Amino acid sequence: MVRVRMSDVAARAGVSTATVSMVLNGVNGKRISPETQQRVREAAEAVGYKPNSVARSLRTQQTRMVGLISDTIASTPYAGRMLAGANDVARDQGHLVVLVDTERDAEAERLALQALNGQRVDAIIYACMWHRMVEVPPGLPEDAVLLDCAPVTGGRAAVVPDERAGGMAAVRELVAAGHRRIAFLDAEERFGLVASGLRYEGYLAVLAEAGIEPDPALHVRAEPVAGGGREAARRLLDLPAERRPTAMFCFNDRMAMGAYAEAHRAGLSIPGDLSIVGYDDQQLVAAELDPPLTTIALPHYEMGRWAMEVALGVRQADPAVPHLMPCPIIRRASVGPPPAQFGD
Amino acid sequence: MVRVRMSDVAARAGVSTATVSMVLNGVNGKRISPETQQRVREAAEAVGYKPNSVARSLRTQQTRMVGLISDTIASTPYAGRMLAGANDVARDQGHLVVLVDTERDAEAERLALQALNGQRVDAIIYACMWHRMVEVPPGLPEDAVLLDCAPVTGGRAAVVPDERAGGMAAVRELVAAGHRRIAFLDAEERFGLVASGLRYEGYLAVLAEAGIEPDPALHVRAEPVAGGGREAARRLLDLPAERRPTAMFCFNDRMAMGAYAEAHRAGLSIPGDLSIVGYDDQQLVAAELDPPLTTIALPHYEMGRWAMEVALGVRQADPAVPHLMPCPIIRRASVGPPPAQFGD
DNA sequence: AACCTTCAGTTAATCGATTAAACACACCGC
DNA sequence: GCGGTGTGTTTAATCGATTAACTGAAGGTT
């Protein structure tokens, strides 16, 4: 791996490095004769010249690198989709992404920010792997973009999923199928999930628009994992027949997985006896349940793209209010009409 | 964000930039009086000096950045664990990781390599998200490290999971519980998974060491997803009672998920009537099945660490042969003794 | 007194590009 | 013959650090 410098190209082409630079960068204000351009290009090709971005960055004050600080890359399967979205945009714009995982540690965050600042990255994205409200870490540049989190103080470009609309889409799907007794298997409040309140708002909004009186007994809370979903489903199925739900909207796909298990135990078929909608479109799971789960997808890829587009100035953002990214419904096979005795 | 240069610190402390550099970098061969050191440090603190790594890199010819080329960050939930391992080591060594996703496209790979080379990263890791044999892309430096893949031609430092040992651990667990009729729910050959052959080798090796004659009817293949697992399990459970397996070793957790479903349909309890072991320890799934799945974990985090350690020279690797990373068994609740009538 | 060491720093070259300003030359008009 | 204009290219400063080589003063030796 020999290092070829611009001066090597210049020497071979019999010109100065200035000329080489202008030719190779296609500087348009300057006029270089076509013959010289040709010679320079051939020389560069011949010696296998590859520009040294470090030197270029020093001079131009841009590194064409974007820092991506994330609170956890390891522990969620969604992280990849965000990274992919951000990465695709970065690539198209000729940028590279520098990834730092801070594991939600304030000191690590400080260090990361310092390192990225030292590397003079052109922009910074601060990403969370769960939709959260965050205290913006001190030292985060004004123009940093927040991804899947919103600043408690406001005033930063940020993108989060439109959880309320997602909740509405889920419940509308059930209402459209004819259900009127629709349960919401929510996460317990102690987990402090902002998604929980918003999805519930969506749930209530659609019931209202459909003229359905919400039944408090159908809003149950549990741990947002399969076990919790199972337990919540059991409580609902234990209700007297006339108060029992014909459909369940689950806070996430894992709870839906638990609800499936409990439905099977109770001898109920899905969607014949019970319809279920999840949330997250968790890869390797939602599509593999039996029957495949109708769910609301979290738009991680799109949010990753959005954040990178704003970071690189391809798109403008209003820092006053977080951008709400739509959560599309993924229709599979877990929703059907309510059982006959409940039909109308 | 004012840019403070070293010369600003030097001016404030009344010394030259050389002195500032020596003090701040703790160059030990050089002697700077304690008082001067003190003054320099105070000046640096006062003006908020942060070194410009771009300039430093240009001079020292090291960037303290490592390139990580991956074939897909988006589509697998394991990617995060690899990244986390690599990232942790990089951080401890004062390095940053630059991530590029090539989506298995040769042209994108070429571009990525060129970009990383241009940025003069100190090392390169080439990562796959499924254990594969790969053609090393042209232009990949000699000292690049392969992660979760092995070069078809050999000769590069590489790390892959020890699939054979993992298969052995899985089957030993079942043998130890008393099973003798153990099925292997394998992936179909057309998927070209190197893990498949190796896990099967492990399966056969343990049967041999336990003195169990392998029954070809118990080696079934299907698509390595839940549906495939279900179908494979059905074929096995349809066998006449005396040839039916009492335990199933599944190629992956998704197939195990299908096997669970089929077992329930057949009215079999796990692990009372049927024991199951998976592979992958897929997050958000293996632990959430009911009962929680005993499985073999893929050591993604450890492989990520190993690769980064080798890349940064913290650890030596033998390029002649890929390093085999152990796959630990994760004991949960899906393995028990065989049903009484099969006991001995 | 002449010479050598040691100490505490400074000077200046260097890394490899970019780019404003200067320069050389040809051509043109009067 | 002289200034003006255009063209094509070079010169040299610059980005912000690192570091080998040097300097100048103080102290020690013979």
Side-chain angles (χ1 to χ4, degrees), chain B residues 75-207:
Chain B
S75 55
T76 105
Y78 313 121
R81 302 217 302 251
M82 277 191 197
L83 289 178
N87 204 71
D88 284 356
V89 173
R91 177 163 27 68
D92 292 350
Q93 300 294 319
H95 285 246
L96 248 24
V97 1
V98 179
L99 182 69
V100 191
D101 184 352
T102 61
E103 283 155 7
R104 294 178 82 157
D105 175 67
E107 175 62 8
E109 249 168 23
R110 204 181 57 72
L111 252 31
L113 241 15
Q114 193 166 310
L116 292 176
N117 192 36
Q119 290 290 357
R120 300 289 193 267
V121 295
D122 294 343
I124 290 189
I125 294 176
Y126 183 86
C128 296
M129 293 311 164
W130 303 106
H131 180 174
R132 311 196 336 244
M133 298 299 288
V134 295
E135 298 277 358
V136 174
L140 190 74
E142 277 307 312
D143 57 357
V145 182
L146 306 200
L147 173 49
D148 204 11
C149 52
V152 290
T153 52
R156 303 294 189 121
V159 58
V160 295
D162 191 347
E163 313 274 8
R164 186 170 187 280
M168 292 182 71
V171 180
R172 274 211 191 99
E173 182 76 2
L174 293 168
V175 167
H179 296 273
R180 299 191 62 83
R181 297 202 52 77
I182 301 169
F184 180 35
L185 284 71
D186 201 354
E188 283 168 8
E189 276 167 309
R190 66 187 162 105
F191 293 98
L193 298 164
V194 332
S196 164
L198 294 168
R199 292 177 195 172
Y200 184 49
E201 271 185 30
Y203 166 82
L204 291 179
V206 172
L207 292 193

Side-chain angles (χ1 to χ4, degrees), chain A residues 12-342:
Chain A
R12 189 174 228 270
V15 297
S16 70
T17 62
T19 303
V20 176
S21 175
M22 288 161 172
V23 170
L24 264 26
N25 294 307
V27 177
N28 38 12
K30 302 298 178 164
R31 325 126 294 205
I32 309 286
S33 72
E35 303 81 61
T36 306
Q37 297 206 18
Q38 179 68 4
R39 246 181 333 149
V40 167
R41 272 185 241 281
E42 282 172 5
E45 176 73 20
V47 298
Y49 172 68
K50 296 287 178 295
N52 179 329
S53 319
V54 177
R56 172 182 290 164
S57 296
L58 179 59
R59 184 62 232 252
T60 61
Q61 305 286 25
Q62 327 179 27
T63 50
R64 303 191 81 70
M65 295 195 298
V66 180
L68 177 35
I69 300 189
S70 105
D71 61 350
T72 26
I73 44 184
S75 56
T76 105
Y78 312 120
R81 302 217 302 250
M82 278 193 197
L83 289 177
N87 204 71
D88 284 357
V89 173
R91 177 163 27 69
D92 292 350
Q93 300 295 319
H95 285 247
L96 247 23
V97 0
V98 180
L99 182 69
V100 192
D101 184 352
T102 61
E103 283 155 8
R104 293 178 83 157
D105 175 67
E107 175 62 8
E109 251 169 22
R110 205 181 57 71
L111 252 30
L113 240 15
Q114 193 166 311
L116 291 177
N117 192 36
Q119 290 290 356
R120 299 290 193 266
V121 295
D122 294 343
I124 289 189
I125 294 176
Y126 182 86
C128 297
M129 293 310 164
W130 304 105
H131 181 174
R132 310 197 334 244
M133 299 298 289
V134 293
E135 298 277 359
V136 174
L140 190 73
E142 277 307 312
D143 58 357
V145 181
L146 306 200
L147 173 49
D148 204 11
C149 52
V152 290
T153 53
R156 302 297 187 118
V159 57
V160 296
D162 191 348
E163 313 274 7
R164 186 170 186 280
M168 293 182 69
V171 180
R172 275 211 190 98
E173 182 75 2
L174 294 167
V175 168
H179 295 273
R180 301 193 60 84
R181 297 203 52 76
I182 300 169
F184 180 35
L185 285 71
D186 201 355
E188 283 168 11
E189 276 167 310
R190 67 187 161 103
F191 293 98
L193 298 165
V194 333
S196 163
L198 294 168
R199 292 177 194 171
Y200 184 48
E201 272 185 31
Y203 166 81
L204 291 179
V206 172
L207 291 193
E209 103 192 355
I212 300 172
E213 178 71 21
D215 177 352
L218 296 186
H219 180 212
V220 296
R221 289 182 184 272
E223 241 188 297
V225 299
R230 180 153 197 183
E231 174 210 322
R234 171 153 27 209
R235 294 210 303 271
L236 289 164
L237 296 180
D238 279 350
L239 252 27
E242 74 285 1
R243 303 195 55 199
R244 202 181 289 162
T246 61
M248 297 182 181
F249 169 36
C250 301
F251 177 75
N252 64 20
D253 291 351
R254 296 154 84 186
M255 291 186 83
M257 199 170 146
Y260 266 57
E262 189 58 21
H264 284 146
R265 202 196 54 85
L268 263 30
S269 89
I270 300 171
D273 303 313
L274 181 68
S275 289
I276 296 187
V277 177
Y279 212 115
D280 288 359
D281 193 26
Q282 191 181 319
Q283 45 185 337
L284 311 196
V285 175
E288 305 226 357
L289 288 172
D290 186 20
L293 178 67
T294 290
T295 189
I296 308 293
L298 245 14
H300 283 111
Y301 179 83
E302 288 73 18
M303 295 195 299
R305 285 195 70 98
W306 190 95
M308 186 58 81
E309 283 170 0
V310 172
L312 294 180
V314 179
R315 171 199 287 273
Q316 297 302 311
D318 174 7
V321 46
H323 182 78
L324 296 180
M325 188 65 72
C327 298
I329 185 165
I330 309 295
R331 292 196 174 81
R332 284 196 271 249
S334 61
V335 174
Q341 69 269 32
F342 293 98

